[in-house]
Amino acid sequence: MSTAARRAQWRDLVERRLPDAARPDWPVRLDHCFARILLDHACGGPWRDHVRPPAHANLPLDQLETAIVLGEAVLAGQADLALLNRRSLAWRGKIATAPVPDALREGDLTLRRWRPDDGAPFAALNADPAVMAYFPRPRTEAESAVEAGLCDRRFVADGFGPWAVERDGRFVGFVGAFRIMQAMPFPGGARIGDTIELGWRLARDAWGHGLATRAARLTLADLAGRCGIRAVVAYTAQGNDRSRAVMERLGMVPAGTFPHPAVPDGPLRTHCLYRLEPAEVSA
């Protein structure tokens, strides 16, 4: 499909198909409201902070594709429009949100919200081939900056997210939980936003000290106690024995494999899925 045709499809989706399909229980019914919700999710925050209007002409095609897929999921009943609207309004400061602690602490370990000075060490972590061995490729500095911003904005949208991890006052990566905002090909993963993932990424010199396990336990305790979330999943490429060992130390149970839709065909595409239901951290 040509670029012009895809952009025309977007306009038809938000200007005609979604308003025509609006149900009494949907929180919005007008075309600009549907556009706001979908564009905010494609950008990971208020869309005007990321792209100049009109969005249908200026949004990068990969983000436009994300917005279209999400809109189609709403029409198919595979995404909760009320949840999407709440996240959009939270990003825009239009609704009150529950307070989020500044940090979680245990001994020399601190899980905290992200800061601007995390950018450089996070970019270095994402450029390390060893750290990124089970990802399709290392990330550029610009990609790392975008990812860090998205990580922190998840706390605004959901009340939880990937915490920046400090050990002895030094940033060493992230550990936390995040709402999966794409359909995933495993049981229970088809409905966008329903599944909570536990994940981590630490600098190489932080490996081998049990930090991922300790930080994940802090995260799980916070999720259960403050957010009432007691079921999570985690997954990684099939050969990543180090991450799978962390999942098992947390008491997570293997739940099969699946082809990760964001990973190209090749040895990294098959991922191992683990579940924790309810989220009870093993001793």
Side-chain angles (χ1 to χ4, degrees):
M1 182 180 293
S2 69
T3 298
R6 200 60 170 152
R7 295 192 186 280
Q9 184 178 11
W10 159 255
R11 297 192 67 178
D12 184 58
L13 174 67
V14 296
E15 294 175 8
R16 183 185 65 83
R17 295 175 62 211
L18 282 163
D20 286 354
R23 303 195 310 254
D25 60 325
W26 281 12
V28 300
R29 293 172 175 77
L30 302 177
D31 56 355
H32 67 275
C33 295
F34 290 113
R36 164 183 60 82
I37 293 168
L38 301 179
L39 291 171
D40 283 1
H41 279 82
C43 295
W47 67 266
R48 287 175 183 267
D49 293 349
H50 302 272
V51 61
R52 72 182 190 278
H56 69 83
N58 296 317
L59 194 71
L61 283 179
D62 60 335
Q63 291 178 304
L64 185 68
E65 181 67 25
T66 297
I68 290 172
V69 168
L70 188 55
E72 295 289 355
V74 170
L75 286 172
Q78 294 299 313
D80 182 352
L81 188 62
L83 169 66
L84 299 178
N85 186 50
R86 286 195 301 272
R87 297 177 98 240
S88 170
L89 294 176
W91 280 323
R92 292 165 174 262
K94 300 296 186 181
I95 59 173
T97 56
V100 177
D102 291 332
L104 310 174
R105 294 183 174 86
E106 180 198 79
D108 62 345
L109 185 65
T110 298
L111 278 59
R112 57 163 175 77
R113 295 287 295 274
W114 292 70
R115 300 192 301 240
D117 60 359
D118 296 330
F122 188 52
L125 179 160
N126 284 333
D128 185 338
V131 173
M132 303 300 286
Y134 294 99
F135 291 80
R137 60 175 177 81
R139 303 231 163 101
T140 67
E141 186 174 349
E143 289 169 337
S144 291
V146 169
E147 185 179 10
L150 291 172
C151 283
D152 199 59
R153 286 194 292 274
R154 286 181 177 272
F155 287 93
V156 178
D158 297 315
F160 57 90
W163 299 95
V165 178
E166 277 188 6
R167 189 189 189 204
D168 295 327
R170 184 174 68 88
F171 175 90
V172 295
F174 73 75
V175 177
F178 30 94
R179 195 179 296 280
I180 302 177
M181 298 306 298
Q182 67 179 62
M184 298 297 285
F186 53 71
R191 188 168 166 83
I192 294 172
D194 279 6
T195 304
I196 309 303
E197 178 188 357
L198 184 68
W200 49 86
R201 193 182 312 153
L202 298 178
R204 196 183 336 179
D205 62 2
W207 296 357
H209 303 286
L211 297 185
T213 304
R214 289 173 59 197
R217 285 176 173 152
L218 280 176
T219 294
L220 290 170
D222 178 62
L223 279 177
R226 182 174 62 85
C227 305
I229 295 171
R230 303 185 62 82
V232 300
V233 303
Y235 46 80
T236 188
Q238 199 165 29
N240 190 352
D241 293 339
R242 185 183 297 272
S243 281
R244 293 179 66 183
V246 173
M247 297 169 196
E248 290 168 5
R249 283 196 292 272
L250 294 171
M252 304 191 81
V253 177
T257 62
F258 68 95
H260 197 303
V263 178
D265 286 336
L268 298 179
R269 192 167 198 213
T270 298
H271 274 51
C272 296
L273 177 70
Y274 283 74
R275 295 186 183 274
L276 193 59
E277 298 182 41
E280 294 178 355
V281 181
S282 60

